[in-house]
Amino acid sequence: MDLLREGQKITIYFQKSTNMVEMSCEIEKVFDDRLDLLLPQYFMRYIECLQVGAKLTAKAFSKLGTIDFNTVVIASPLEDNFTIELDYNSLKLTPGNELPVIEAIEKIDIKHRDEVYPTKTFEISSEYVKFYSDKTFVIGDFIDCTLKLPKTYGIINFRAAVSEIDAIYSNELTAQISTMTENDRQNLLYYMYVYTTNSD
């Protein structure tokens, strides 16, 4: 639930006849498995689509990107509030127009030509990683990386190519990510979102 916060803007989508309706809301309260939403004044025109058990698609907007998930309406707007139940299996974070970047020191193992070099990152993004290394690399070297995130965020595996070696500090390198599974990508984005949120 760290992805979602009170006061965050959220848009819900649902089918009405042959049209897709888009409704802008705000998160009023966050629970472990559901959200209370503040609906716009015009919601009554769509009341038949917002009954208990109705299926919705929702997008929440954050500094890091857009969070998409499916929901089930579990309380009618005619009650005290409008509550949607979350489908955690459908949660997905898509980066926005700006590339998500965090300055984070995390453990990373760099494998190159069957040798593994434990080191640390100093910058992480969804497209590249910057790390320290006393091992000599050249531009274009392919490396297999194991990024060890804290707590329960997991271990992220990906392949990258060394794209930059700092002209002054030769032990500071940038590697462009070339291969990463979608699951690892989502876990990485989730960690970056939480890291950014907790750093505010």
Side-chain angles (χ1 to χ4, degrees), residues 27-45:
I27 298 176
E28 183 176 23
K29 197 163 184 180
V30 179
F31 299 94
D32 288 340
D33 59 349
R34 63 196 191 281
L35 302 174
D36 278 355
L37 301 184
L38 290 171
L39 294 176
Q41 292 181 340
Y42 61 83
F43 79 85
M44 279 300 293
R45 72 182 71 163

Side-chain angles (χ1 to χ4, degrees), residues 117-120 131-137 170-173:
Y117 307 94
T119 183
K120 291 184 178 179
F131 62 95
Y132 302 103
S133 177
D134 293 328
K135 154 76 176 171
T136 301
F137 290 96
S170 58
N171 68 329
E172 296 185 359
L173 296 91

Side-chain angles (χ1 to χ4, degrees), residues 12-92:
I12 58 176
Y13 300 84
F14 52 88
Q15 191 80 28
K16 179 176 171 58
S17 299
T18 58
N19 298 322
M20 182 64 73
V21 175
E22 178 179 324
M23 183 180 292
S24 296
C25 311
E26 184 177 311
I27 298 176
E28 183 176 23
K29 197 163 184 180
V30 179
F31 299 94
D32 288 340
D33 59 349
R34 63 196 191 281
L35 302 174
D36 278 355
L37 301 184
L38 290 171
L39 294 176
Q41 292 181 340
Y42 61 83
F43 79 85
M44 279 300 293
R45 72 182 71 163
Y46 303 119
I47 190 67
E48 74 274 16
C49 301
L50 302 175
Q51 298 298 327
V52 175
K55 302 273 187 176
L56 302 171
T57 299
K59 291 180 183 288
F61 304 96
S62 73
K63 291 188 298 183
L64 206 61
T66 305
I67 307 150
D68 297 75
F69 52 94
N70 295 325
T71 70
V72 177
V73 177
I74 59 173
S76 166
L78 299 180
E79 305 296 335
D80 291 336
N81 52 27
F82 181 65
T83 302
I84 58 174
E85 186 179 56
L86 302 179
D87 177 3
Y88 280 102
N89 294 324
S90 71
L91 280 172
K92 183 176 181 180

Side-chain angles (χ1 to χ4, degrees), residues 41-183:
Q41 292 181 340
Y42 61 83
F43 79 85
M44 279 300 293
R45 72 182 71 163
Y46 303 119
I47 190 67
E48 74 274 16
C49 301
L50 302 175
Q51 298 298 327
V52 175
K55 302 273 187 176
L56 302 171
T57 299
K59 291 180 183 288
F61 304 96
S62 73
K63 291 188 298 183
L64 206 61
T66 305
I67 307 150
D68 297 75
F69 52 94
N70 295 325
T71 70
V72 177
V73 177
I74 59 173
S76 166
L78 299 180
E79 305 296 335
D80 291 336
N81 52 27
F82 181 65
T83 302
I84 58 174
E85 186 179 56
L86 302 179
D87 177 3
Y88 280 102
N89 294 324
S90 71
L91 280 172
K92 183 176 181 180
L93 179 59
T94 304
N97 294 329
E98 295 184 11
L99 184 67
V101 176
I102 59 173
E103 295 180 0
I105 298 174
E106 302 296 354
K107 294 179 180 179
I108 187 170
D109 288 344
I110 306 295
K111 184 179 179 182
H112 181 245
R113 295 178 182 168
D114 296 327
E115 290 190 60
V116 178
Y117 307 94
T119 183
K120 291 184 178 179
T121 66
F122 60 91
E123 187 172 298
I124 301 170
S125 89
S126 58
E127 293 188 6
Y128 67 83
V129 63
K130 294 189 177 184
F131 62 95
Y132 302 103
S133 177
D134 293 328
K135 154 76 176 171
T136 301
F137 290 96
V138 298
I139 302 296
D141 274 347
F142 277 98
I143 54 178
D144 293 305
C145 306
T146 301
L147 178 60
K148 301 174 181 178
L149 300 179
K151 299 180 182 177
T152 58
Y153 301 113
I155 294 174
I156 309 300
N157 295 294
F158 58 91
R159 184 153 229 237
V162 176
S163 57
E164 184 180 340
I165 300 171
D166 192 280
I168 299 174
Y169 304 102
S170 58
N171 68 329
E172 296 185 359
L173 296 91
T174 301
Q176 208 74 22
I177 297 171
S178 58
T179 306
M180 180 186 293
T181 68
E182 181 62 20
N183 185 63

